[in-house]
Amino acid sequence: MASTADGGHEDPLVSFHFKLEVSGKVDGFFTEVSGLGSETEIAEHKVVTEGHEVVMKIPGRLKWENIVLKRGITSSMDIWTWRKEVEDGNVESARANGSIYMFDQMLNPVAEWSFERAWPVKVTGPSLKSDGNEIGVEELTLAHEYIVRIS
């Protein structure tokens, strides 16, 4: 748990909603975000020393999770237009850097993640039911090559 200057403890940040900004591609608010992280693969190396077999675990390749964002569907076509670039074979022109901002209930930014060379792997529209009254949700999945928490 984080400590403050006065020796007390800092409360965890409360997430209220999220904003995605991707330079020239998407700028909008989302209600759910996942995949803000990285992982180092483990390479196992077997070593025999003095009659003992030991499995050494060595850091392997670094990889990043796909970022998944969800929001209520609107009239905005931005994520669909961006995905169309990939469908048309223009992955390199679709790649873009961006940021995700987390806001509290007072709409103050409380955290920021920055990512590089992202492109839309998948876009999913809402499930449509004529007898339901749920808000339609669309989902955007991004592959990227680097992510870092800035604040």
Side-chain angles (χ1 to χ4, degrees), residues 20-22 24-30 71 74-85 120 123 138 140:
L20 171 68
E21 288 182 359
V22 179
K25 306 292 183 183
V26 177
D27 185 359
F29 289 93
F30 289 78
R71 70 177 179 190
T74 67
S75 61
S76 174
M77 295 290 292
D78 55 0
I79 66 175
W80 297 90
T81 302
W82 189 22
R83 175 67 187 147
K84 184 79 166 99
E85 284 185 67
V123 173
E138 58 186 1
L140 171 63

Side-chain angles (χ1 to χ4, degrees), residues 103-124:
F103 294 89
D104 64 14
Q105 295 96 327
M106 302 302 292
L107 302 181
N108 298 311
V110 293
E112 177 185 354
W113 293 263
S114 179
F115 54 86
E116 296 178 5
R117 296 181 48 79
W119 57 278
V121 173
K122 178 180 174 183
V123 173
T124 305

